[in-house]
Amino acid sequence: MSTLMLSLAAAVSKQVKTRFIRQTHHAEAAQDAFLRTLLQAHCQTEFGRELGLVDIKTIDQFRDRVPISSYSDYEPYIDRIAKGERNILTPDPVIYLSLTSGSTGKQKLIPITPRSRRFRSYVNQVSAGFIAEAAQRHQRPLGKMLLTSSLQLVGHTSSGIPYGPISAGDLRLNSTLYRQVFAHPFDALKPADSLARHYVCLLFALGDPQTRVIGANFPVLALRLADYLESYADDLIHDLETGEIASWLKLEPELRAKLERRWFPNPNRAAELRHILKTEGRLTPRSAWNLSLLITARGGTSNFYFERFPAYFGNTPIFGGLYASSEAAFGSYYDFNQDGAILAIDTGFFEFIPEDQWYVSQPQTVLASEVIPSQCYRILVTNYNGLYRYDIGDVVEVLGFYNQAPIIVFRHRLGGMLSSITEKTTEFHVMQVMQQLQQEFHVTLENFCITLSEQDIPPHYLVNIELAPGSLLPDPVSFIHQFDRHLQAIHTSYAIKRPDQIPAPRLRILAPGSFAILRQRLLQRGIPESQLKFPHISNDRQFLAGLTIEQEVEVEEVKDDWARYF
């Protein structure tokens, strides 16, 4: 039955994808039609009346009369929605409030309605259609998925509206579909304890021969899953053999009883995995399953983590799924190992702010049909969550077009910039540099974060790194010299200001486990595990306070040394 359901789901997704592709031949018309329909639907909401949406008939009128907005413009209205008031931002009832991660700022609540959920599900189906097509083209048979995202809510508002991470909301609101595609019971996502949730999901997936896909919101979470598999291999194999679920796991008693009723011994599979463990010395996803693909976020900081994927996942292709946030679904990926996503032209209205307008209070925007490949833009969205010309702060690069629809890739957050003077170094800049350095020095980093020194004016760049277990850096002086050199090579503003204005960077090698400590700090701040993103640059001078520095190395300044970099 499960195989039949998977085949039916793939067939439906292919049909939805085909419909979307037809729309990409008429992207401008699709955008115009979406906006007109939304304005008509929302014009009698309280916010819609304040904006005068009923009188807006064209895209130009919309851009002229509706100001670009940020979360602070919506917060008072969302507070009222949380208390149970209706017809505020949307005419439809709010059934969930999506809590943003807060990794790069204050956490926000975004209204989810039945209609906005359907549009997001549509983008998901488009993505699934592209997955099915790519899997067929690359001869990678689809099967069950291992996913360890939590179902835990954060709570309910005073009026009873549930709120929590967007991933938990998506899973709960689409549970019928997910129950058919998971390699583990849906209840396996319910444990509050992270280790318990990962363990039981791994256990059931190891016992299911149809497991072919691993999903993770972010690449760092896929690596964490691989670490759990390696660390608890003996326990997992034991439970496979005996039909037990480890007694030491922190599982709620009623939930444990439910899961145990679904779990049976599988001694043959246990023997197979024990042989792999004995032969290879560890258990990894690539050795445990015959994987067809991984689904995880691409763009942004992802490539840094992808450097470590081959050791755990071999050459398994990576599909980006959706380029999405709590506020909106921005696009669908369309092939394996591609960073670009096709703009979701029929589920949101999008505008783009060119780079020369980023620091203007009400900047001029261009439309999806007007963007230029290789250019970066801030992206604005108007959608059925009740957001109008909403500036999420994402900076995207246009890679090209899929028919008439832009292909975009997330590069960094606008606020995610670091400046010793005024050079505006982005996360994308430092990600490129650190990738080069890992290859150049044959070193693997557990993680890194660039901060600024506290006492110096102007401050030094502090390149804080933690080496992966078993990895060595014999020549840290050369490493920080090359950091400086590579950053100048790719970042013109840094290169111009570095010789005379920006002091030399310093390398700090942190003690093992430092980023695990940082991870716990971020979780304690209330950031949901499934949405946890490590910032790789931070203006917070205390962000890494208290972590042990094993070694600090400073570039020795040499007069005119910068010139030899060019």
Side-chain angles (χ1 to χ4, degrees):
M1 176 62 73
S2 60
T3 303
L4 175 61
M5 291 302 295
L6 286 170
S7 298
L8 289 173
V12 170
S13 295
K14 285 181 179 180
Q15 290 178 354
V16 174
K17 182 263 301 179
T18 299
R19 173 191 159 191
F20 172 73
I21 289 176
R22 284 199 299 267
Q23 292 282 74
T24 66
H25 289 279
H26 312 283
E28 191 172 346
Q31 284 281 272
D32 183 73
F34 177 88
L35 182 62
R36 287 173 183 272
T37 304
L38 181 143
L39 295 177
Q40 185 176 9
H42 282 208
C43 66
Q44 294 305 321
T45 63
E46 181 173 323
F47 199 60
R49 289 194 297 270
E50 290 177 13
L51 292 175
L53 299 185
V54 71
D55 298 319
I56 295 175
K57 307 301 181 185
T58 67
I59 289 175
D60 286 341
Q61 288 177 348
F62 179 69
R63 292 196 286 178
D64 287 342
R65 300 178 189 181
V66 177
I68 291 171
S69 62
S70 63
Y71 186 73
S72 61
D73 297 303
Y74 299 91
E75 194 166 16
Y77 299 91
I78 293 174
D79 287 344
R80 292 169 57 193
I81 290 170
K83 293 173 183 175
E85 291 190 50
R86 297 198 169 197
N87 201 41
I88 304 297
L89 294 176
T90 67
D92 308 312
V94 173
I95 57 174
Y96 189 76
L97 286 165
S98 175
L99 185 69
T100 66
S101 68
S103 295
T104 56
K106 179 182 176 182
Q107 288 184 305
K108 309 171 184 71
L109 289 171
I110 306 299
I112 306 297
T113 70
R115 183 157 25 183
S116 71
R117 182 179 69 83
R118 286 197 299 272
F119 275 101
R120 192 180 184 96
S121 296
Y122 169 81
V123 184
N124 256 314
Q125 282 192 299
V126 171
S127 177
F130 279 116
I131 288 176
E133 180 186 68
Q136 186 175 21
R137 187 169 62 252
H138 294 281
Q139 298 182 330
R140 313 285 298 193
L142 294 176
K144 293 292 192 72
M145 176 191 287
L146 166 59
L147 182 79
T148 59
S149 292
S150 175
L151 280 174
Q152 291 288 312
L153 296 173
V154 173
H156 291 77
T157 69
S158 59
S159 65
I161 301 173
Y163 67 93
I166 187 64
S167 55
D170 279 348
L171 288 167
R172 287 170 171 269
L173 296 171
N174 293 283
S175 62
T176 302
L177 170 64
Y178 287 122
R179 289 176 192 276
Q180 304 302 323
V181 301
F182 285 160
H184 45 76
F186 195 69
D187 287 340
L189 301 178
K190 290 182 177 179
D193 181 71
S194 176
L195 170 58
R197 187 176 67 255
H198 281 84
Y199 188 98
V200 293
C201 288
L202 281 166
L203 188 61
F204 278 94
L206 286 170
D208 191 332
Q210 293 188 65
T211 302
R212 291 277 192 167
V213 180
I214 290 178
N217 288 353
F218 302 105
V220 67
L221 298 179
L223 291 172
R224 185 166 178 78
L225 175 70
D227 182 62
Y228 277 128
L229 177 60
E230 184 175 357
S231 300
Y232 294 95
D234 286 322
D235 299 273
L236 289 162
I237 292 170
H238 172 270
D239 288 358
L240 269 167
E241 186 173 44
T242 61
E244 301 172 3
I245 296 180
S247 59
W248 48 265
L249 285 178
K250 295 179 182 177
L251 283 171
E252 297 81 351
E254 184 178 342
L255 179 57
R256 175 182 283 277
K258 276 187 179 181
L259 293 170
E260 285 178 341
R261 286 196 291 270
R262 302 280 302 271
W263 182 237
F264 303 96
N266 192 339
N268 291 335
R269 177 62 168 152
E272 179 186 348
L273 292 173
R274 186 172 285 113
H275 176 73
I276 293 171
L277 180 59
K278 183 178 179 181
T279 303
E280 299 192 9
R282 63 176 186 161
L283 199 59
T284 62
R286 68 182 175 89
S287 62
W289 295 286
N290 184 15
L291 293 175
S292 290
L293 70 141
L294 292 154
I295 303 175
T296 193
R298 299 189 66 96
T301 63
S302 295
N303 285 346
F304 170 77
Y305 298 105
F306 289 158
E307 294 282 335
R308 298 175 58 191
F309 268 41
Y312 299 99
F313 304 105
N315 62 354
T316 304
I318 302 168
F319 189 85
L322 298 184
Y323 166 26
S325 67
S326 298
E327 293 89 345
F330 293 97
S332 298
Y333 290 82
Y334 61 98
D335 204 353
F336 296 158
N337 300 328
Q338 296 290 324
D339 284 343
I342 307 170
L343 189 68
I345 53 172
D346 52 356
T347 54
F349 177 73
F350 301 99
E351 298 170 67
F352 299 83
I353 303 176
E355 227 171 325
D356 62 2
Q357 295 282 309
W358 285 1
Y359 301 101
V360 177
S361 59
Q362 283 297 320
Q364 296 296 310
T365 64
V366 297
L367 303 178
S369 59
E370 300 169 333
V371 295
I372 301 170
S374 300
Q375 297 294 307
C376 286
Y377 300 86
R378 270 164 52 197
I379 189 168
L380 307 179
V381 63
T382 299
N383 63 14
Y384 280 99
N385 296 91
L387 305 176
Y388 305 89
R389 309 194 76 203
Y390 184 82
D391 187 357
I392 189 176
D394 279 11
V395 173
V396 300
E397 180 183 350
V398 176
L399 301 183
F401 287 87
Y402 189 100
N403 297 322
Q404 294 180 6
I407 299 171
I408 59 175
V409 57
F410 168 70
R411 288 305 186 200
H412 62 87
R413 300 277 293 176
L414 182 65
M417 291 184 181
L418 204 64
S419 290
S420 174
I421 303 292
T422 56
E423 67 277 12
K424 296 183 176 67
T425 298
T426 70
E427 204 165 31
F428 184 53
H429 287 133
V430 298
M431 289 300 303
Q432 294 177 81
V433 171
M434 299 308 279
Q435 281 181 258
Q436 287 179 286
L437 292 177
Q438 285 193 111
Q439 296 170 5
E440 188 174 333
F441 286 84
H442 306 289
V443 65
T444 302
L445 302 183
E446 183 68 25
N447 222 320
F448 78 92
C449 184
I450 315 298
T451 57
L452 297 172
S453 61
E454 289 187 57
Q455 305 301 327
D456 309 288
I457 300 175
H460 295 261
Y461 278 52
L462 300 179
V463 182
N464 305 280
I465 67 171
E466 179 186 338
L467 299 174
S471 193
L472 298 173
L473 183 59
D475 192 352
V477 174
S478 293
F479 187 91
I480 192 61
H481 267 290
Q482 289 297 92
F483 172 88
D484 193 26
R485 175 181 180 272
H486 289 314
L487 187 55
Q488 291 188 55
I490 67 169
H491 184 11
T492 303
S493 182
Y494 178 85
I496 292 170
K497 297 167 184 175
R498 168 67 182 89
D500 301 316
Q501 301 180 62
I502 301 173
R506 296 172 179 173
L507 175 67
R508 286 181 170 179
I509 301 177
L510 304 179
S514 292
F515 279 89
I517 294 171
L518 180 61
R519 177 179 178 275
Q520 288 304 312
R521 289 181 185 174
L522 294 173
L523 292 174
Q524 287 166 9
R525 276 173 38 188
I527 298 174
E529 182 185 38
S530 62
Q531 293 180 284
L532 181 61
K533 302 185 285 288
F534 283 106
H536 290 287
I537 58 175
S538 176
N539 281 295
D540 181 358
R541 310 291 176 95
Q542 296 297 311
F543 186 59
L544 303 178
L547 299 181
T548 301
I549 301 168
E550 291 192 335
Q551 186 178 3
E552 183 165 343
V553 177
E554 183 175 353
V555 171
E556 293 183 8
E557 293 282 22
V558 179
K559 187 176 181 180
D560 292 331
D561 186 53
W562 65 276
R564 65 186 174 87
Y565 296 156
F566 298 93

